[in-house]
Amino acid sequence: MTERPTALAKLKVLDLSRVRAGPACCRVLADFGADVIKIEAPAGADPSAGVSGARHGYDMLNLHRNKRALTLNLKDPDGRALFLRMVEDADVVVENFRPDVKDRLGIAYSDLANVNPRIILASISGFGQDGPYAKRAGFDQIAQGMGGLMGVTGNPEEGPMRAGAAVADLSSGLYAALGIMVALQERSVSGQGQWVQSSLLGAQIALMDFQAARYLVDGEVPESSGNDHPYVTPMGVVATKDGHMNLGVGSDSQWRAFCDLIDKPEWGTIEDYATNPARFERRAALWEKLAPIFAEKTTSDWVDALEEAGVPAGPIYMMNEVFADPQVQHLGMAEQVHHPVRGETKLVAQPIKLSRTPASIYVSAPDAGEHSDAILTEVGLSPEEIASLRDSKVI
């Protein structure tokens, strides 16, 4: 077993979340050593059970590694009381219910702060904790559409296109993790907890970054440009002899180096192509000129030649090729852990590298309630009390 990481070892997190955004938030904390307790309803108590996928499936294993598991029925008064008892010595609670659910359950921020003023509640929602859309169910693709991502993604003639990864889900989880870190730092000064909020919609808009600022500052409404960069040319996908690659000519000096490489030095100085605005104005015609040139060599040959010339370029990988790449292997982005059912498995490592207290995957995802007895013993319950709670289906 890999040694448990130490950076957040003193942090206790109660994880009420499910699906992706909340679990992704808690995964960051767990990978850096926090004691993350994944709390789920007992079998039969939650009609939405299974929404997060197969227990031993790839998604659950990747999202819930490094966590302990407890079953607890929050709809039962005894279950709620026990949860609040756990809050007394916890640091963080993470939830991604619809905003009104925690109020109905009696576990809103005010309820938690009454028993522990230092508690930090992180709430992740689809659209925010209040406002006209607060009670709507939040899904990644809906947030991609409403946050502007789909409007600038895809070929213009084909209409909007979703991104191939859960961008809004994951970013809202990461923003929540960042908010938790800020709140913890502030708590070290004030001694008080606070309510951290993120949403899929807000996170997606934030990720639009320069496209959003382009509208807010200059009033321009960005449109989709397919695989081309919105305003730099030639920067995009080009077909090669054996596939496709990304070309990234990001400056006029790189353009001149590129022209020398393809034996067209005159293109680097003529008025039609010498500057990016000129190239952008003639983008379609320029790509037509470049297409037959790139078709003469393989992707690998082009990437090597362009690298030597100082022009950014790279292959376009399928996922098996991603993890076969030597730089990806050097970064350690696939980390091995043993699972009692699946055996030796590899999961996606944290991309954040710390020199002294790095993250690690030290234990596989738990089964539902796997650590219930141990966790409740730590809370102070006797074996008889735990057995009684189990008999009454509170746990």
Side-chain angles (χ1 to χ4, degrees), residues 11 129 156 172 215 223 235 321 390:
L11 198 67
Q129 294 298 308
S172 62
Y215 168 70
E223 297 179 352
M235 184 176 288
E321 297 170 305
R390 183 166 283 117

Side-chain angles (χ1 to χ4, degrees), residues 181-218:
M181 293 293 102
V182 172
L184 286 168
Q185 172 60 28
E186 195 282 335
R187 191 182 72 176
S188 70
V189 177
S190 69
Q192 299 294 306
Q194 57 184 305
W195 189 10
V196 174
Q197 302 171 29
S198 74
S199 68
L200 274 64
L201 180 58
Q204 180 60 80
I205 294 170
L207 284 188
M208 295 307 293
D209 197 52
F210 75 90
Q211 294 283 44
R214 186 176 170 187
Y215 168 70
L216 292 174
V217 176
D218 289 341

Side-chain angles (χ1 to χ4, degrees), residues 30-352:
D31 285 359
F32 281 99
D35 180 15
V36 177
I37 299 174
K38 175 175 168 52
I39 299 175
E40 304 167 81
D46 182 1
S48 299
V51 70
S52 296
R55 192 79 200 186
H56 298 149
Y58 62 88
D59 207 17
M60 289 285 281
L61 297 189
N62 196 50
L63 283 168
H64 298 293
R65 76 276 186 106
N66 291 348
K67 302 178 184 179
R68 297 195 291 165
L70 165 73
T71 53
L72 185 62
N73 187 356
L74 293 173
K75 296 179 181 179
D76 187 294
D78 289 336
R80 175 184 178 275
L82 182 53
F83 175 73
L84 292 177
R85 185 169 169 180
M86 295 176 66
V87 169
E88 290 178 8
D89 68 346
D91 297 287
V92 180
V93 173
V94 178
E95 60 87 16
N96 59 351
F97 301 127
R98 290 195 195 190
D100 58 328
V101 170
K102 57 184 167 293
D103 295 315
R104 295 203 308 267
L105 292 175
I107 56 170
Y109 174 68
S110 58
D111 299 308
L112 308 186
N114 281 338
V115 300
N116 180 0
R118 292 174 56 83
I119 198 70
I120 292 164
L121 172 64
S123 295
I124 307 170
S125 61
F127 301 96
Q129 294 298 308
D130 46 35
Y133 302 160
K135 292 185 179 181
R136 291 187 183 181
F139 290 94
D140 179 84
Q141 185 162 339
I142 293 173
Q144 286 191 30
M146 293 180 67
L149 178 61
M150 291 177 65
V152 298
T153 304
N155 291 318
E157 62 273 15
E158 295 177 358
M161 179 71 68
R162 69 181 293 276
V167 180
D169 271 342
L170 291 171
S171 60
S172 62
L174 291 173
Y175 277 121
L178 175 60
I180 289 168
M181 293 293 102
V182 172
L184 286 168
Q185 172 60 28
E186 195 282 335
R187 191 182 72 176
S188 70
V189 177
S190 69
Q192 299 294 306
Q194 57 184 305
W195 189 10
V196 174
Q197 302 171 29
S198 74
S199 68
L200 274 64
L201 180 58
Q204 180 60 80
I205 294 170
L207 284 188
M208 295 307 293
D209 197 52
F210 75 90
Q211 294 283 44
R214 186 176 170 187
Y215 168 70
L216 292 174
V217 176
D218 289 341
E220 295 182 11
V221 178
E223 297 179 352
S224 61
S225 54
N227 284 318
D228 287 329
H229 190 278
Y231 51 78
V232 178
T233 296
M235 184 176 288
V237 175
V238 61
T240 65
K241 187 176 182 178
D242 64 346
H244 294 83
M245 60 171 281
N246 277 313
L247 175 68
V249 179
S251 68
D252 292 340
S253 62
Q254 289 175 353
W255 168 248
R256 290 190 292 273
F258 172 72
C259 292
D260 290 341
L261 174 66
I262 63 173
D263 295 325
K264 300 288 185 182
E266 67 277 11
W267 288 3
T269 56
I270 60 173
E271 185 177 347
D272 283 358
Y273 299 132
T275 65
N276 181 67
R279 293 192 297 275
F280 184 78
E281 184 179 346
R282 299 166 179 83
R283 180 162 66 183
L286 181 56
W287 278 124
E288 286 185 13
K289 289 178 178 289
L290 295 178
I293 296 173
F294 276 95
E296 295 174 358
K297 297 180 182 179
T298 66
T299 294
S300 178
D301 288 341
W302 275 117
V303 170
D304 290 344
L306 289 162
E307 169 64 23
E308 188 172 345
V311 179
I316 299 173
Y317 287 150
M318 298 301 287
M319 198 52 66
N320 58 318
E321 297 170 305
V322 170
F323 287 103
D325 184 279
Q327 184 64 32
V328 175
Q329 294 179 356
H330 175 77
L331 291 174
M333 287 307 299
E335 194 166 341
Q336 186 165 293
V337 66
H338 179 78
H339 187 269
V341 175
R342 299 293 296 264
E344 297 301 317
T345 59
K346 290 183 178 180
L347 302 173
V348 185
Q350 283 293 338
I352 311 166

Side-chain angles (χ1 to χ4, degrees), residues 2-23:
T2 304
E3 185 176 348
R4 179 174 174 170
T6 60
L8 300 178
K10 294 184 178 180
L11 198 67
K12 179 175 286 189
V13 180
L14 305 181
D15 177 10
L16 297 174
S17 67
R18 54 188 178 181
V19 190
R20 186 168 314 282

